[in-house]
Amino acid sequence: MKLSLLQRKKVLAIVFVFCTMTIKAQTPAAILDLVQYKNRVEQKNDTLYVVNFWATWCKPCVEELPYFDSIATTYNNQPVKIILVSQDAKARALQVAQFMQKNKYTAEFFILSAGNPNVWIDKIEPKWSGTIPATALYKNGIKVDFQEGDFPNLKALEDFIHSKL
Amino acid sequence: MKKFVFSLLAIIGFTLSSMAHEGYHVGDNVIDFSLKDINGKMVSLQDYKEAKGFIIVFTCNHCPYAKAYEDRIIALNSKYAKAGYPVIAINPNDAEQYPDDNFENMQTRAKEKKFKFPYLYDESQSIARTYGAIKTPHVFIVQKEAKNLVLKYTGAIDDNWENAVEAKEKYVESAVDALLAGKPITTTFTKAIGCGVKWKK
């Protein structure tokens, strides 16, 4: 059975759309070191950077991600930027990207791989014991707040952000 | 009257200081415990008459960091138990929220990995609280000094959870080597990224 050019194009288009819908992300998460992390979040502008430390396998982290995703939507007209900093192993960069895609999370994300945690934890926040989840707020180039532990609900996260908007 | 007032103040002082207790700091005397191991036997530090001290590790089944360190914990016991510093592993997690960390699964893991050290169940989480364990894995190295057990090091096992071969600072090994040599420990406290201890709700 011979297909016309138009029919062939239609078939190709359908197959293409089907493939892109079912294919998982092929671009792994970016991996940043501490200098790159600081350059990203310590920017001298009035944007409030809401930086969450999480990992795909961390149950309390994963449970609060929808709150961060919701903030990204609610505040999309305001200078608020959500950044999800994964503590997954570098070898899992692709899985991290696939996790974000599967859950349709739109926030910016990357893996922070900064060497010896005993050195870099204190460089981010000396009060931080190193457990995840943890959330930092940055504005005008400096850290303005930090919380270790999860947010029990969306309101708790909104209250945390509001105080620094 | 004076003795009475003094005793009263001492009791109040002691109570207040133990209420404010957030966990042990290096130099503190630590308490012994009686916790169930995977064979159902109760184990205490005082059972180890020949030991010079202990490498106490709060660890669990489910946490990827704990899993990444399992072989290193086994290696620490192989190296240091015969030198007088056996590993004592304690699972502090709430099994209700994390069934992977329940007693049956502890037994399975210990058998699979052929643990030659006790893997104890801190069911009430009171030992984890008293010691100040906040994540898994979390190490407390203690040394016997007369009738006391003194905390000498607390924190991470080394500086690279992802890759054992690339670990440069091996904190626990350095600390135990120093204790065995009668030298001061260079780094007595370190931080690590880890899964928080899963406290009962």
Side-chain angles (χ1 to χ4, degrees):
Chain A
M1 163 188 147
K2 238 188 155 183
L3 293 171
S4 72
L5 184 61
L6 184 58
Q7 282 170 318
R8 268 185 259 156
K9 280 188 181 175
K10 279 186 185 173
V11 167
L12 273 172
I14 290 166
V15 169
F16 178 76
V17 169
F18 178 74
C19 285
T20 52
M21 279 168 63
T22 53
I23 262 178
K24 288 187 191 173
Q26 293 301 310
T27 312
I31 298 170
L32 270 60
D33 64 21
L34 191 66
V35 170
Q36 292 166 321
Y37 164 84
K38 290 210 162 186
N39 285 341
R40 183 71 195 94
V41 300
E42 290 174 0
Q43 302 217 21
K44 286 198 182 341
N45 56 39
D46 64 357
T47 299
L48 182 69
Y49 292 90
V50 181
V51 180
N52 179 252
F53 295 89
W54 67 290
T56 57
W57 43 258
C58 163
K59 192 164 131 181
C61 303
V62 165
E63 282 172 357
E64 66 170 12
L65 282 181
Y67 307 149
F68 288 89
D69 193 54
S70 147
I71 296 281
T73 315
T74 312
Y75 289 87
N76 67 354
N77 288 334
Q78 295 189 54
V80 174
K81 190 123 176 59
I82 309 288
I83 299 186
L84 303 178
V85 180
S86 161
Q87 280 301 290
D88 282 86
K90 294 193 284 293
R92 282 182 56 81
L94 185 58
Q95 285 90 326
V96 171
Q98 287 169 344
F99 173 92
M100 291 292 292
Q101 184 193 43
K102 185 178 102 166
N103 288 286
K104 300 191 181 21
Y105 292 145
T106 54
E108 179 178 334
F109 67 97
F110 52 80
I111 290 175
L112 173 65
S113 180
N116 185 353
N118 188 47
V119 171
W120 67 257
I121 290 171
D122 279 346
K123 287 189 174 167
I124 291 183
E125 171 53 70
K127 288 186 303 183
W128 188 15
S129 79
T131 66
I132 54 173
T135 303
L137 299 180
Y138 293 86
K139 197 171 178 182
N140 279 315
I142 57 163
K143 178 161 35 68
V144 295
D145 211 341
F146 186 88
Q147 175 178 293
E148 186 167 344
D150 63 316
F151 291 95
N153 50 51
L154 176 59
K155 182 166 189 309
L157 176 57
E158 283 175 342
D159 288 347
F160 184 64
I161 293 174
H162 265 136
S163 62
K164 295 296 186 290
L165 265 175
Chain B
M1 184 57 190
K2 259 197 209 171
K3 268 196 193 171
F4 173 74
V5 172
F6 181 79
S7 313
L8 191 62
L9 287 172
I11 290 169
I12 292 170
F14 178 76
T15 311
L16 285 175
S17 65
S18 56
M19 276 164 64
H21 180 80
E22 300 165 327
Y24 294 127
H25 300 105
V26 168
D28 286 351
N29 292 343
V30 314
I31 54 165
D32 196 353
F33 41 75
S34 180
L35 296 176
K36 187 170 66 166
D37 82 0
I38 53 144
N39 298 313
K41 203 179 79 163
M42 300 309 283
V43 171
S44 296
L45 300 177
Q46 67 176 8
D47 300 339
Y48 294 79
K49 305 282 185 228
E50 305 300 316
K52 297 179 181 149
F54 303 92
I55 303 171
I56 299 168
V57 189
F58 289 88
T59 186
C60 68
N61 282 7
H62 90 277
C63 170
Y65 299 116
K67 285 198 266 209
Y69 275 107
E70 247 166 25
D71 288 345
R72 284 175 262 190
I73 292 169
I74 290 168
L76 283 171
N77 189 62
S78 300
K79 184 172 180 186
Y80 291 110
K82 50 188 189 289
Y85 282 85
V87 164
I88 310 281
I90 302 177
N91 170 21
N93 284 343
D94 173 26
E96 214 179 282
Q97 296 176 70
Y98 291 83
D100 278 354
D101 292 339
N102 70 23
F103 187 67
E104 235 177 69
N105 286 320
M106 284 174 65
Q107 291 174 309
T108 307
R109 180 66 58 84
K111 289 197 174 83
E112 261 169 18
K113 303 283 303 200
K114 301 188 175 47
F115 287 172
K116 295 208 169 38
F117 48 82
Y119 190 18
L120 308 177
Y121 191 28
D122 183 13
E123 193 164 7
S124 71
Q125 304 183 311
S126 69
I127 300 305
R129 273 192 212 282
T130 307
Y131 275 62
I134 40 181
K135 59 178 76 114
T136 52
H138 195 165
V139 176
F140 292 78
I141 300 176
V142 302
Q143 184 183 49
K144 289 186 189 176
E145 284 176 18
K147 290 210 161 81
N148 296 319
L149 290 162
V150 182
L151 183 63
K152 292 302 201 181
Y153 169 86
T154 183
I157 290 172
D158 58 38
D159 65 351
N160 195 325
W161 72 271
E162 274 175 81
N163 195 325
V165 171
E166 287 178 13
K168 293 195 192 74
E169 307 267 6
K170 299 187 184 181
Y171 299 119
V172 169
E173 289 193 46
S174 299
V176 181
D177 287 343
L179 291 174
L180 288 169
K183 295 197 172 122
I185 298 174
T186 336
T187 304
T188 57
F189 171 86
T190 56
K191 287 185 180 181
I193 286 290
C195 313
V197 168
K198 309 304 178 197
W199 302 110
K200 292 189 213 277
K201 291 214 157 87

